[in-house]
């Protein structure tokens, strides 16, 4: 299979882990990178074997050898540059969330549908065997009927000048880490009679940053009566990225489901026994790039496609509104 030819918009910290290392493991070509800081782009290219550096994001999109882009820009720039990439005829692997709000996500959805291009939102954890096993335990009835899903995504605060605290760049705890917890709830839709609906949400603003959520907790309910709980924060003392699934016959717990390469355990507890499964520390980003490549090259279905992205964004917006805040504005930057 011909190597996928990728261009990278920006030299963000995550790019090395999310695309640089997986490209080496999967044989993808990193054709080009562009960043606002030319020196940073040159350093990134040298470190990760990127073939060339472009002077602007648009120049990268105009490169005929680039067939797919990876968009790791600040949240508020996901939507605009996803739209520009699609208009340029490029397949898109975008960091989450795919847009600043549901209205913008709908624009991206419509652009993808009219283009016929592959679009994938980078909820990489969904492609790893840890998450696949949690879903399998429910699908096969090993935990009994689904009763409760509890997702926790908390971390210590980024620096005060970090874009993740910027309202104009669609920042906040939900947009950075909470979106994983909300997406994980939606992953159980096939086993609970349908998608979860938001019951209530509570949030707290970051001091001196009006409108920017430092934390948010949400309660959800599935059509079959199962409940969901989301806890997210960017002001915790320690990192906790965990997921617990409770059924009528037992429960399963993944202590680090979003980054299973750091901890690949799935702890299963039933009335009869408790055991620990290790599902492998091969990176979730590598599984994700393989899935993206398969979709581009072979037309394989995309788990985190543009319709999934829109549904997640609608749930994010609903959480903000229920918590007395406003959805993130579309970026004017």
């Amino acid at each position: 299979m011909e190597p996928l030819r990728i261009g990278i918009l920006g030299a963000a910290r995550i790019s090395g882990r999310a695309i640089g290392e997986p490209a080496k493991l999967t044989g993808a070509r990193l054709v080009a990178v562009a960043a606002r800081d030319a020196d940073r782009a040159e350093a990134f290219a040298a470190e990760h074997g990127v073939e060339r550096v472009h002077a602007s994001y648009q120049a990268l999109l105009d490169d005929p050898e680039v067939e797919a882009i990876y968009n790791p820009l600040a949240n508020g720039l996901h939507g605009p540059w996803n739209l520009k990439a699609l208009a340029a005829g490029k397949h898109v692997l975008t960091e989450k969330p795919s847009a600043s709000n549901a209205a913008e996500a709908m624009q991206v959805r419509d652009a993808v549908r009219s283009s016929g291009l592959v679009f994938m939102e980078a909820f990489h954890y969904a492609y790893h065997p840890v998450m696949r096993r949690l879903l399998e335990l429910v699908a096969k009835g090993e935990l009994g009927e689904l009763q409760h899903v509890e997702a926790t995504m908390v971390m210590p605060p980024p620096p005060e000048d970090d874009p993740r605290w910027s309202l104009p760049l669609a920042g906040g705890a939900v947009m950075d880490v909470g979106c994983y917890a909300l997406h994980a709830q939606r992953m159980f839709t096939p086993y609970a009679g349908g998608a979860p609906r938001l019951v209530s949400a509570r949030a707290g603003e970051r001091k001196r940053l009006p409108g920017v959520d430092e934390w948010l907790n949400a309660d959800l309910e599935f059509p079959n009566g199962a409940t969901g709980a989301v806890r997210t924060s960017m002001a915790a003392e320690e990192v906790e990225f965990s997921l617990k699934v409770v059924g009528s016959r037992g429960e399963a717990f993944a202590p680090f489901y979003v980054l299973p390469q750091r901890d690949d355990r799935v702890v299963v507890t039933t009335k009869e026994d408790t055991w620990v499964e290790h599902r492998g520390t091969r990176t979730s980003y590598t599984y994700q790039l393989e899935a993206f490549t398969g979709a581009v090259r072979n037309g394989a279905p995309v788990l985190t496609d543009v319709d999934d992205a829109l549904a997640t964004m609608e749930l994010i917006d609903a959480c903000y509104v229920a918590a007395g805040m406003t959805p993130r504005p579309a970026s004017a930057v």
Side-chain angles (χ1 to χ4, degrees):
M1 186 165 62
E2 181 189 354
L4 191 64
R5 305 187 306 277
I6 302 171
I8 306 170
L9 297 177
R13 287 183 299 257
I14 187 135
S15 298
R17 297 193 308 272
I19 207 73
E21 294 168 11
K24 293 176 183 177
L25 294 172
T26 63
R29 282 178 58 192
L30 298 182
V31 173
V33 63
R36 288 176 298 169
D37 184 330
D39 290 340
R40 188 172 179 181
E42 291 285 357
F44 183 91
E47 180 179 359
H48 296 286
V50 182
E51 296 173 18
R52 53 184 170 272
V53 174
H54 284 298
S56 69
Y57 300 152
Q58 188 59 52
L60 184 144
L61 296 183
D62 292 337
D63 187 332
E65 200 166 7
V66 171
E67 61 178 326
I69 67 104
Y70 169 62
N71 182 355
L73 300 171
N75 289 337
L77 302 180
H78 291 167
W81 284 100
N82 288 340
L83 289 168
K84 289 178 182 290
L86 292 165
K90 312 299 184 184
H91 304 288
V92 175
L93 172 60
T94 179
E95 274 305 325
K96 31 50 64 184
S98 64
S100 295
N101 53 52
E104 191 173 61
M106 193 172 295
Q107 293 176 19
V108 175
R109 190 273 311 271
D110 292 345
V112 171
R113 286 184 174 180
S114 63
S115 71
L117 295 162
V118 172
F119 181 94
M120 178 184 283
E121 188 174 29
F123 281 115
H124 51 92
Y125 80 96
Y127 296 91
H128 194 277
V130 163
M131 190 64 195
R132 305 315 301 164
R133 177 56 174 153
L134 290 174
L135 296 171
E136 180 183 60
L137 286 164
V138 177
K140 292 187 174 180
E142 295 179 62
L143 302 180
E145 184 179 354
L146 182 66
Q147 294 182 335
H148 184 66
V149 180
E150 187 172 310
T152 300
M153 292 292 300
V154 303
M155 59 176 280
E160 293 296 330
D161 61 350
D162 193 288
R164 287 173 285 181
W165 290 125
S166 169
L167 185 60
L169 288 173
V174 174
M175 295 292 284
D176 188 55
V177 287
C179 58
Y180 283 107
L182 292 169
H183 187 268
Q185 297 281 339
R186 293 190 53 259
M187 291 285 285
F188 291 91
T189 292
Y191 318 111
R197 69 172 185 89
L198 182 66
V199 175
S200 64
R202 303 151 303 282
E205 290 182 337
R206 182 69 170 170
K207 195 173 182 179
R208 295 186 296 276
L209 292 174
V212 179
D213 50 308
E214 182 179 80
W215 63 270
L216 184 141
N217 297 336
D219 300 308
L220 304 99
E221 185 176 39
F222 292 87
N224 74 337
T227 57
V230 164
R231 182 168 67 95
T232 186
S233 173
M234 288 203 302
E237 293 186 2
E238 297 180 351
V239 171
E240 182 182 352
F241 293 165
S242 66
L243 185 61
K244 181 167 71 172
V245 184
V246 181
S248 57
R249 293 173 49 196
E251 64 181 53
F253 179 70
F256 224 127
Y257 78 105
V258 163
L259 290 175
Q261 46 267 37
R262 297 187 185 180
D263 187 340
D264 68 336
R265 288 176 296 159
V266 175
V267 183
V268 185
T269 302
T270 66
K271 295 177 182 178
E272 296 79 26
D273 198 8
T274 296
W275 68 92
V276 178
E277 301 178 4
H278 290 275
R279 310 306 297 185
T281 55
R282 187 173 185 258
T283 76
S284 50
Y285 300 112
T286 301
Y287 284 102
Q288 176 178 258
L289 183 55
E290 286 178 337
F292 184 58
T293 302
V296 173
R297 287 284 175 262
N298 304 319
V302 176
L303 178 63
T304 56
D305 64 10
V306 72
D307 293 309
D308 184 70
L310 174 57
T312 300
M313 201 69 243
E314 289 173 337
L315 185 55
I316 291 172
D317 282 5
C319 284
Y320 278 125
V321 172
M325 304 182 77
T326 57
R328 307 298 83 176
S331 177
V333 177

